[in-house]
Structures are given as structure tokens and as C-alpha cells.
Amino acid sequence: MRFWICAAAVNGFLAVAMGALAAHGLRDRLPADSLDWIETGARLGLGHGLALLAVALLADRAAGPARALEVAGWGFLLGTALFSGVLYVMGLSGWRALGAVVPLGGVAFLIGWGALFAYGIGLRGESAATRSN
């Protein structure tokens, strides 16, 4: 659980920092498409940072090993690195050749959300009250 909370915090921190940098520090220095890449990376990084936090909280409440949650966490983390991270590098450097990597991050995000769905299906109607007793 600690790992996923820390990963969520790092994602959130980087997303806010990069979003602020793009909005305030680089607005007059970078072309519009570069700023858009950074802002898109920040938006998805922040959202998936929250998803990682959800994984951490769910893992803490899981009755046993929850492989689907681990897959979800890694999907969100890898997706953020490949999607948001590459968009940050592209935005700051202008190096468009990395653009081919970004869809792999999107696939990792989809794997994460699919695994979270699988975890939810596997709960079999248990309520929070049932699990806490």
C-alpha cells in the first residue's frame, strides 16, 4: 500500500508542477503545441495519480492478495510514465520522435482500468460493512 500511495503522490506532484510550469513559466517560451502536450500530460498524470491512490486504498481493504489491483496499479504507473512523461519530454524538448511511445502509455492506462474493473467484478456483491467485520 505504501508504494502505491507514494506513486500517487509523485504523480500528483509532477502533474501540478508541470501544469503550473506550462501555464506560467513557459507560456511565452514554447509553441502552443508543446504547451498542449505538457498540459495534456499533466491532466492525465493527475487523474491517474488519483487512480493510484484508489488502488492503494482498495489494496489496504482487500481481504487477501488482490492481483487485479496490482495489475491496475502498474498499468496506471507505467501509463503515466509513458504517456505523461513522454509528453513532458516532447513539450520541453520539441523532440517529436518520441510521439510513437505515447500510445503505449494509453494502452497501459486501459490495462489498468480493465484490471480495476476485473477487481470490481470479483468483489461479488460484498459491501464495505461485510469486509470490515
Side-chain angles (χ1 to χ4, degrees):
M1 178 177 75
R2 183 181 349 182
F3 175 79
W4 297 121
I5 291 173
C6 291
V10 169
N11 267 16
F13 181 92
L14 288 174
V16 171
M18 292 302 293
L21 181 64
H24 303 293
L26 301 174
R27 181 69 56 200
D28 298 328
R29 293 188 172 105
L30 291 178
D33 61 345
S34 293
L35 291 170
D36 287 343
W37 293 334
I38 294 170
E39 290 169 358
T40 299
R43 191 172 48 255
L44 267 77
L46 185 58
H48 286 90
L50 293 173
L52 280 167
L53 185 58
V55 166
L57 297 174
L58 289 169
D60 186 48
R61 297 173 75 48
R67 179 80 173 126
L69 286 177
E70 190 172 329
V71 170
W74 284 111
F76 297 148
L77 189 58
L78 181 62
T80 302
L82 293 175
F83 190 95
S84 297
V86 170
L87 285 178
Y88 297 155
V89 171
M90 285 175 53
L92 293 172
S93 71
W95 194 27
R96 294 176 179 261
L98 290 174
V101 175
V102 174
L104 297 175
V107 170
F109 283 149
L110 293 173
I111 289 169
W113 287 111
L116 190 58
F117 178 78
Y119 174 76
I121 291 294
L123 289 177
R124 296 190 179 104
E126 296 177 27
S127 69
T130 306
R131 286 190 305 276
S132 66
N133 291 336

